[in-house]
Amino acid sequence: MRRNLTPYTFLLPYLLIFGVFWAWPILYSFYLSFLDTRSFPWAWNPGANWGRILQDATFQDALRNTFLILLIQVPLMLALATALAVALNSRLLKFRPFFRFAFFAPVVVGAVAYSAVFRLIFNTDFGALNSGLKVLGLGPVDWLYTPGPAMAVIILVVTWRWTGYNAIIILAGLQSIPKDIYEAAAIDGATPWQQFLRITLPGIRPVLLFCFVLSIIGTLQLFTEPFLITNSGPGTATMTLGTYLYQQGFRSFNFGYASAIAYTVALLAAVFSLIQLRFFGRD
Amino acid sequence: MVKRWMALGMVAAGLGMAQGNISGEITVWSWDIAAKALQATVPSFNKLYPNVKVNVVDLGNQQVYDKGLSGCAAGGTDLPDVYSVENNEAEVFWARFPNCFTDLNTLAPSANAFKGNFPAFKWTELQVGNKTYAMPWDSGPVVMFYRRDLYQKAGVNPDSIETWDDYIAAGKKIVAATGAKVGVIANGTDDEWFRMLANQNGCFYFSNDAKSVTVNKPGCVSALETVKKLIDAGVVMQGGWNEQIQAFKAGKVATAMFGGWYEGTIRSNAPELEGKWGVFRMPAAKKGGVRAANLGGSALALPASSKNKAAAWAFIRHALATTEGQVTMLKEYGLVPSYLPALKDPYVNAASKYWGGQAIWKTILGTLGDVPQARGTQYFQEARQIMIKVQADYVSGRFKSAKEALDSAAKQISSATGLPIAK
């Protein structure tokens, strides 16, 4: 009996910390989502948050924006990342390590720093981009204060940041495909395009799936860029589930509703991951 | 027993104040021009209290709010000794964190001693039951700031503008003659024009008892209709705070409608336009209607965690509850006093050189008595976010009528706050 307890005694400090800082907040926020925390004292009222989330127009905007980013940005980014990985893997390319680092670098840069830089680039009056457009004879675009362009900026920035990261992961997948398969295919007369479709893509399928799931979860939690670059605006044009959660939780201090949003996001992430594993994960 | 010791302590503190021998250091959090104005009162404060060192920190408006809320959530850590709060947002603090700020009635002299020195509407959001959490500071009586030269060029006499329909007609003349618009409406980023017009019509997001949603009442419907009429007539442009400043500096707008505190913004941003500006009352919805509203206005609170309450309270009283403090802030930065004795100061009735010799404060403060009451409640920000969206959707034609738009807003605000829609 005592021998069985010994490992748990050693684990106890970890389990305690895990319980207090990880498990408890998660359970507590679930409990919070059933409380009306809009005014003091808090009261049990499940309808206050879960009823509201069903008919909240701002939440629907946030959901729609998040899905829009999901549908446009994730496929675009993964296609780019795959193309980039193939290029980085090519023997024709010189200074490969340098390029690999260059495309990976955006991940290393602090989010606040690069957000500030992008705010400057897209500034309507003094931004580099509008100066460039002017040279081409195109009118200035009010990037950050018009709904469509603001969304385009967010998609662009997120793509800029994560494409290289995904490319590196896909590159690792590419390198696990045996070279002799390509040689055999070349001898059989397969064109490079046929090689890509028949050998490369099936070979990196598990890696692509991994990137896909991670990107979708990442997008569902998207916060930094819309918060720092467009401030969710104009209006709610670039409001995401992440920024709406923040607004409810830490601007309005309505913890119950913020918890309900958080659990909705977690549920969505779980459902999406399950669907993907079901349909694309089978070998 | 404890109470008696506290009372004794307070008397002692009161005596200490009277003798001016309070000492130590206090930190004040504020924003932009308001921070500069508070800084301007420090020299006269230090004449009375030479041993108190005052650090005014300009954090910017949003930062003050965010840091205040998170400080209160953390049980009062890292808060300053004097905290600036907008009246509209004040109730969030008292509702969420009732113990984060000092009840000013427990200090000596008690806040109640100053009650009659401020208009009643300034206290509504600062008091809960018999507790007073903050001292009223400035107010924002709304007026039209206009360019005399551009109006003259278009042959428009501002005295002839009595209603919003008159204003649109005048605006068309001015746009045709000078190319300058007669206003900048923040659409999609704010709803301040809607709030000013609604307040003028005696309507607001919430009822004055803060128990129901009233945003779809007739006064608000008329306000939202006027906003769209102005935009559709092409007499105003759209843009946020910074665009508004750039526009008046560049002469692209001939009028700005804002709370009286915008006087300081115009004067300090465009000193080169001295003598070209004037002020007139905002137009009414109907002939003979109310021509006054309030936008903005703040208060000073004293966090319960302050280690130097005596000095902090002395600073608040000197800045806000003396004519000297209030008139200093008015002179230097155009912060409109709500301290009633300050309105008798000669400066308020004097002609202003920058404003073409007009005694503008007489005009601006003259509207104070006509301002219909409105209550921000603890849900102000929530309602505002919803209204910004609804206004933008209505302007872009996504609702059939202003009533339909505001019915939708009322429903959303009601579900966000749990308050019923008023019948």
Side-chain angles (χ1 to χ4, degrees):
Chain A
M1 189 64 192
R2 181 170 289 176
R3 252 171 80 193
N4 288 342
L5 275 178
T6 314
Y8 291 101
T9 322
F10 280 111
L11 277 174
L12 196 65
Y14 167 75
L15 286 177
L16 271 178
I17 291 172
F18 174 84
V20 171
F21 291 102
W22 199 87
W24 187 73
I26 287 181
L27 292 175
Y28 184 63
S29 63
F30 187 64
Y31 167 67
L32 271 183
S33 74
F34 294 99
L35 298 188
D36 182 351
T37 61
R38 290 179 293 210
S39 57
F40 199 80
W42 298 351
W44 177 263
N45 182 358
N49 302 319
W50 291 108
R52 177 180 174 189
I53 213 166
L54 298 174
Q55 47 174 334
D56 182 352
T58 314
F59 177 78
Q60 283 157 16
D61 286 344
L63 198 65
R64 196 178 321 115
N65 291 337
T66 308
F67 279 156
L68 191 75
I69 298 173
L70 212 65
L71 282 175
I72 297 176
Q73 192 266 334
V74 174
L76 179 82
M77 174 181 71
L78 291 182
L80 271 175
T82 310
L84 199 62
V86 171
L88 290 175
N89 200 29
S90 164
R91 279 155 208 275
L92 301 170
L93 185 72
K94 281 185 181 165
F95 312 114
R96 274 188 291 172
F98 169 75
F99 284 110
R100 284 175 195 177
F101 169 74
F103 282 107
F104 189 74
V107 179
V108 186
V109 179
V112 177
Y114 84 78
S115 293
V117 171
F118 274 99
R119 271 191 73 89
L120 282 177
I121 293 175
F122 288 104
N123 183 294
T124 308
D125 297 307
F126 315 104
L129 192 67
N130 273 349
S131 304
L133 287 178
K134 205 173 166 190
V135 172
L136 297 173
L138 300 169
V141 179
D142 198 357
W143 289 101
L144 303 177
Y145 297 101
T146 330
M151 183 55 101
V153 169
I154 297 297
I155 289 177
L156 202 79
V157 173
V158 175
T159 307
W160 173 83
R161 185 164 194 222
W162 293 107
T163 301
Y165 172 84
N166 285 296
I168 297 295
I169 297 175
I170 296 170
L171 182 62
L174 286 179
Q175 290 174 342
S176 70
I177 303 172
K179 303 261 176 320
D180 38 357
I181 302 184
Y182 288 101
E183 280 161 17
I187 290 167
D188 288 344
T191 62
W193 181 241
Q194 282 173 327
Q195 289 181 24
F196 175 76
L197 283 182
R198 299 288 167 81
I199 305 170
T200 312
L201 269 189
I204 58 169
R205 202 169 94 156
V207 179
L208 269 181
L209 180 72
F210 172 78
C211 290
F212 219 67
V213 172
L214 277 195
S215 303
I216 285 182
I217 293 174
T219 306
L220 284 173
Q221 298 175 338
L222 185 64
F223 172 78
T224 320
E225 289 82 1
F227 183 73
L228 290 172
I229 297 177
T230 56
N231 196 13
S232 305
T236 52
T238 54
M239 177 89 78
T240 62
L241 293 172
T243 56
Y244 191 48
L245 190 159
Y246 177 84
Q247 195 192 71
Q248 283 299 323
F250 301 100
R251 282 275 152 77
S252 306
F253 272 67
N254 187 357
F255 296 120
Y257 193 48
S259 301
I261 298 170
Y263 267 87
T264 311
V265 173
L267 203 72
L268 284 173
V271 168
F272 273 113
S273 309
L274 212 69
I275 292 174
Q276 281 168 324
L277 292 172
R278 259 286 153 89
F279 288 96
F280 307 103
R282 237 180 260 149
D283 269 317
Chain B
M1 194 62 194
V2 174
K3 264 193 184 153
R4 189 178 289 173
W5 279 115
M6 270 172 62
L8 256 177
M10 276 184 263
V11 171
L15 283 175
M17 280 178 206
Q19 288 158 10
N21 60 3
I22 306 171
S23 63
E25 222 177 303
I26 55 169
T27 305
V28 180
W29 282 1
S30 198
W31 52 76
D32 313 323
I33 278 181
K36 287 185 192 153
L38 283 178
Q39 184 69 51
T41 68
V42 172
S44 59
F45 173 73
N46 273 345
K47 261 187 214 150
L48 298 168
Y49 303 95
N51 300 323
V52 178
K53 188 172 182 297
V54 182
N55 302 311
V56 180
V57 187
D58 177 0
L59 289 174
N61 187 300
Q62 192 67 56
Q63 278 290 314
V64 171
Y65 178 78
D66 287 352
K67 284 183 83 151
L69 276 181
S70 48
C72 284
T77 48
D78 294 330
L79 288 174
D81 302 284
V82 176
Y83 182 80
S84 310
V85 56
E86 286 191 56
N87 268 52
N88 279 330
E89 291 166 346
E91 287 186 87
V92 175
F93 289 91
W94 331 141
R96 305 285 202 280
F97 308 106
N99 300 319
C100 192
F101 291 93
T102 311
D103 174 7
L104 300 180
N105 288 330
T106 63
L107 301 173
S110 121
N112 275 335
F114 303 95
K115 207 157 183 185
N117 290 335
F118 295 90
F121 83 92
K122 283 298 294 182
W123 289 105
T124 24
E125 287 146 340
L126 309 179
Q127 291 177 322
V128 181
N130 49 14
K131 288 183 176 173
T132 298
Y133 283 115
M135 183 83 123
W137 182 358
D138 64 323
S139 55
V142 174
V143 281
M144 313 296 288
F145 300 93
Y146 78 104
R147 283 280 297 271
R148 294 168 184 281
D149 50 338
L150 297 178
Y151 272 59
Q152 218 157 28
K153 200 172 158 197
V156 173
N157 177 7
D159 293 335
S160 67
I161 300 172
E162 289 182 36
T163 64
W164 283 108
D165 288 333
D166 295 345
Y167 189 72
I168 291 172
K172 284 184 177 156
K173 265 170 118 180
I174 293 169
V175 172
T178 68
K181 306 267 179 175
V182 289
V184 188
I185 291 185
N187 188 30
T189 54
D190 210 332
D191 68 335
E192 58 213 6
W193 275 64
F194 168 75
R195 273 186 280 142
M196 290 185 269
L197 291 169
N199 184 201
Q200 166 181 50
N201 297 342
C203 182
F204 204 60
Y205 302 149
F206 302 103
S207 61
N208 283 334
D209 63 4
K211 285 190 178 135
S212 60
V213 178
T214 52
V215 76
N216 55 350
K217 292 271 179 199
C220 291
V221 173
S222 145
L224 190 60
E225 278 168 353
T226 306
V227 167
K228 187 159 162 37
K229 252 195 241 166
L230 285 159
I231 293 175
D232 289 349
V235 297
V236 293
M237 52 193 213
Q238 298 179 44
W241 176 259
N242 290 323
E243 286 83 32
Q244 295 175 0
I245 292 174
Q246 286 159 6
F248 76 65
K249 258 190 93 77
K252 287 185 188 159
V253 281
T255 332
M257 177 168 78
F258 261 123
W261 38 263
Y262 205 62
E263 191 269 345
T265 308
I266 293 181
R267 192 154 43 102
S268 55
N269 277 293
E272 70 278 7
L273 294 175
E274 184 177 281
K276 293 191 173 157
W277 286 93
V279 156
F280 65 94
R281 279 193 163 206
M282 69 190 292
K286 288 195 187 90
K287 210 172 162 82
V290 177
R291 301 184 65 178
N294 184 68
L295 183 78
S298 307
L300 289 182
L302 207 172
S305 59
S306 164
K307 294 213 170 58
N308 203 345
K309 284 187 191 167
W313 182 224
F315 179 78
I316 292 174
R317 280 182 295 125
H318 174 75
L320 307 187
T322 67
T323 299
E324 188 183 19
Q326 288 273 16
V327 171
T328 303
M329 293 195 282
L330 176 69
K331 262 188 206 164
E332 306 278 337
Y333 294 101
L335 284 200
V336 184
S338 47
Y339 182 64
L340 297 170
L343 306 187
K344 296 196 188 86
D345 192 86
Y347 180 78
V348 170
N349 295 304
S352 160
K353 201 174 149 211
Y354 185 89
W355 295 90
Q358 191 180 355
I360 55 160
W361 292 114
K362 229 170 125 183
T363 312
I364 296 173
L365 294 169
T367 69
L368 261 183
D370 299 341
V371 175
Q373 202 163 331
R375 178 127 173 222
T377 84
Q378 59 160 316
Y379 300 120
F380 174 77
Q381 282 302 350
E382 203 106 10
R384 178 169 158 255
Q385 291 303 330
I386 291 167
M387 204 42 231
I388 290 170
K389 181 80 194 328
V390 168
Q391 180 190 304
D393 282 350
Y394 172 64
V395 166
S396 71
R398 271 177 55 189
F399 291 104
K400 276 188 224 106
S401 66
K403 176 76 171 104
E404 192 189 291
L406 290 172
D407 280 341
S408 158
K411 229 177 104 189
Q412 290 178 53
I413 294 172
S414 170
S415 103
T417 60
L419 299 173
I421 301 171
K423 289 267 147 53

